[in-house]
Amino acid sequence: MIPTPANLKALDGIAKVVQRFPIDGQPGLVIQITGRPGAPILSWVFRYRIPGPDGKPVQVNHTLGRWPERSWPQVKAEMIDLRAKAKAGVRLAPPRLTRESAFEAVKAAAAKVDRSSRIVDLLQVVRETEAEKVGIRAELAFLDRTPPPVPEDTTPTVKEIAERWYIGHVKAKNQPTTQAWQRWALDKHVLPGIGDLKITEATRSKVFAFLDGLASTPVTANRTKALLSKLWTWSEARNDVMASLPNPTRGWERHAEQPRERRLSEAEIVTLGKAYRKSPSALNTAVMFILLTGCREGAVFAMNEETKVEDSLIRFAPGMPGLKGCRRIYVPPVAAAILAKIETPVLKRSIWRSWSLLRTSAELGDVSIHDLRRTWASVAVDMGHDGEVVDVLQGHSVGKIRATYQVRADEGLAKVAVEVANHLAGLLGIAVPKPKRTKTAKAPVA
């Protein structure tokens, strides 16, 4: 219906009460008639739905007032705001008060009172705690017990001690080859294994565990143990902290090492000579020089363009790497004859590569270049020469006092070197140069 004053007055004569008439153009808005017949009450009611507790829509009736106290224009203007609130899910009218809802309301009020009392108790606890804090701060300020700063830990690490030892001892007193091995052992094993430990943390258990980890390479493990022992002995006299600590390597049992006893037989020497004659390169010639003289391979590496043979000897300056104290080599004529074919400088990796090919051609197996030096000494002993003479010819240490008093003549040593070299050259198939004839003066005729 259209809510004009005439239409609304016409509703007074309706006998049946509690009726609702929808208003045209206003969804949800009705004019509701209540009361008794002959004395009806006309009210504006806005009916809408909202989601209930179980998710189902719930019908809500919101009374806007009675007519004629609230005119149609007033209600119409209010409907704009009401529809927006209803669309947003706002409940415009309070729910009807039932026995259950009244109980819930009382229960909620009691819970609110209980929460309020607990909040009051908590606030009291907070006040008391704050008061205690203030008292504690006052006591601390009075006592002024500020802890002293913790001193910085200046204990050196194993890496720092190792670097000092390497610079102060190894670089200053050891030969270049020894320096190279010590540097390699430090960088390869010691520093990665225990370098970060404080020197006070390098206990026997940790050092033993580190050395036991090198058991797969017994020689390296034994040499690394010796390195650490020397490092500690040298450093403890120069560091007060280490002076009071025991040497952490003491008591560690060395691994058993198998000494190498490989030498070439005469048949193998003959086979090697055949392989050399097929490939007489400069590097292979350097290998033959080592076999004919019994010298260290370091002597070949130390040769240069100025190397000369004087009085059947090659002399080296003191301190040259790879010689291990051996400063001269006895060079028989057969070895001197092939010396000119050696191209200097000879590089270690080059001669090892060349030797690997040569021994493969001769089918010698795992024979090393150093085994040729061992072969020379073995052949010399087999020929009946004194072992001490062989030691002198090869530059082995026989004791400082003995070397000082028992000085052997060069002529006797050179004779042994020539005999051994000529015997080996015969097996190798290398021609031995004929000795030069010396002219003798004729006696005057009487």
Side-chain angles (χ1 to χ4, degrees):
M1 62 171 291
I2 299 174
T4 60
N7 290 338
L8 293 174
K9 287 181 180 181
L11 297 176
D12 287 344
I14 294 178
K16 187 178 179 181
V17 296
V18 190
Q19 295 189 57
R20 299 182 180 93
F21 297 92
I23 305 301
D24 295 347
Q26 297 293 331
L29 181 63
V30 298
I31 187 73
Q32 180 176 281
I33 304 174
T34 58
R36 63 182 184 274
I41 299 173
L42 277 65
S43 304
W44 303 100
V45 178
F46 177 48
R47 309 182 72 192
Y48 61 96
R49 293 178 180 272
I50 61 172
D54 56 354
K56 295 181 180 180
V58 177
Q59 179 73 43
V60 180
N61 296 331
H62 179 54
T63 303
L64 305 181
R66 298 182 179 182
W67 182 84
E69 286 82 1
R70 301 287 310 272
S71 64
W72 164 241
Q74 293 174 335
V75 173
K76 185 178 180 180
E78 189 177 353
M79 285 299 299
I80 298 175
D81 182 53
L82 292 176
R83 283 201 178 85
K85 291 181 179 180
K87 188 175 182 180
V90 178
R91 186 171 188 132
L92 305 178
R96 291 184 178 180
L97 186 61
T98 61
R99 183 178 299 175
E100 292 78 6
S101 61
F103 175 74
E104 293 295 332
V106 172
K107 186 177 178 181
K112 186 175 182 181
V113 172
D114 183 56
R115 285 196 301 271
S116 299
S117 62
R118 280 187 291 169
I119 291 173
V120 171
D121 295 339
L122 291 174
L123 289 174
Q124 182 62 28
V125 172
V126 170
R127 293 191 191 97
E128 294 175 356
T129 304
E130 291 296 332
E132 292 178 0
K133 288 182 179 179
V134 172
I136 293 173
R137 291 194 192 100
E139 290 180 6
L140 291 176
F142 176 75
L143 295 175
D144 192 18
R145 293 181 178 176
T146 304
V150 179
E152 183 181 359
D153 186 6
T154 57
T155 305
T157 62
V158 174
K159 180 179 181 180
E160 295 171 349
I161 294 295
E163 294 297 342
R164 294 174 193 171
W165 169 74
Y166 182 79
I167 296 174
H169 176 72
V170 179
K171 293 285 287 185
K173 297 185 178 181
N174 292 145
Q175 296 293 330
T177 51
T178 304
Q179 295 177 19
W181 190 90
Q182 304 282 32
R183 185 72 263 175
W184 174 85
L186 287 174
D187 295 339
K188 179 71 175 180
H189 299 294
V190 177
L191 299 186
I194 59 175
D196 293 335
L197 294 177
K198 294 287 186 181
I199 201 67
T200 53
E201 298 172 347
T203 58
R204 294 178 65 187
S205 60
K206 294 181 180 179
V207 174
F208 277 28
F210 162 69
L211 293 173
D212 291 340
L214 303 176
S216 59
T217 52
V219 175
T220 300
N222 293 341
R223 291 186 180 181
T224 303
K225 184 265 181 184
L227 180 154
L228 289 174
S229 182
K230 292 178 182 178
L231 181 154
W232 197 277
T233 302
W234 183 87
S235 301
E236 64 181 357
R238 295 164 175 81
N239 188 287
D240 295 336
V241 176
M242 297 178 64
S244 60
L245 300 175
N247 191 321
T249 64
R250 188 174 296 122
W252 185 78
E253 297 182 0
R254 292 170 53 89
H255 293 285
E257 298 181 15
Q258 296 296 330
R260 188 174 177 86
E261 300 178 355
R262 183 72 166 92
R263 58 161 289 184
L264 298 182
S265 64
E266 290 192 354
E268 289 177 325
I269 297 174
V270 172
T271 305
L272 177 61
K274 293 180 180 179
Y276 169 66
R277 291 194 299 273
K278 292 179 181 180
S279 178
S281 64
L283 292 172
N284 289 340
T285 301
V287 173
M288 294 299 105
F289 182 84
I290 294 174
L291 177 59
L292 292 173
T293 60
C295 69
R296 301 180 187 275
E297 56 183 311
V300 176
F301 303 147
M303 291 180 182
N304 52 39
E305 296 177 354
E306 299 178 357
T307 301
K308 297 180 181 179
V309 179
E310 298 179 354
D311 299 331
S312 299
L313 288 171
I314 294 179
R315 294 179 174 85
F316 295 100
M320 295 192 69
L323 300 180
K324 294 187 177 181
C326 181
R327 294 177 51 190
R328 61 183 188 173
I329 302 173
Y330 288 88
V331 184
V334 64
I338 66 173
L339 182 62
K341 299 179 181 179
I342 301 175
E343 299 177 0
T344 57
V346 178
L347 300 180
K348 180 181 291 188
R349 62 178 179 272
S350 299
I351 196 172
W352 283 7
R353 189 183 301 114
S354 178
W355 168 245
S356 178
L357 297 175
L358 183 62
R359 72 182 181 185
T360 301
S361 176
E363 298 181 355
L364 297 181
D366 62 343
V367 178
S368 66
I369 294 179
H370 191 75
D371 290 335
L372 302 181
R373 173 175 163 86
R374 187 178 290 107
T375 298
W376 185 95
S378 302
V379 170
V381 174
D382 291 343
M383 293 175 65
H385 296 294
D386 187 7
E388 292 186 2
V389 174
V390 174
D391 287 337
V392 174
L393 285 170
Q394 289 197 311
H396 290 153
S397 176
V398 294
K400 292 184 178 180
I401 296 178
R402 179 187 292 183
T404 302
Y405 283 89
Q406 300 179 7
V407 181
R408 298 181 180 274
D410 287 339
E411 293 79 4
L413 295 173
K415 181 180 178 181
V416 174
V418 170
E419 291 180 3
V420 177
N422 289 346
H423 177 71
L424 290 171
L427 296 174
L428 292 170
I430 298 176
V432 179
K434 295 181 180 181
K436 296 180 180 179
R437 295 181 179 178
T438 56
K439 295 181 180 180
T440 57
K442 293 183 180 180
V445 180

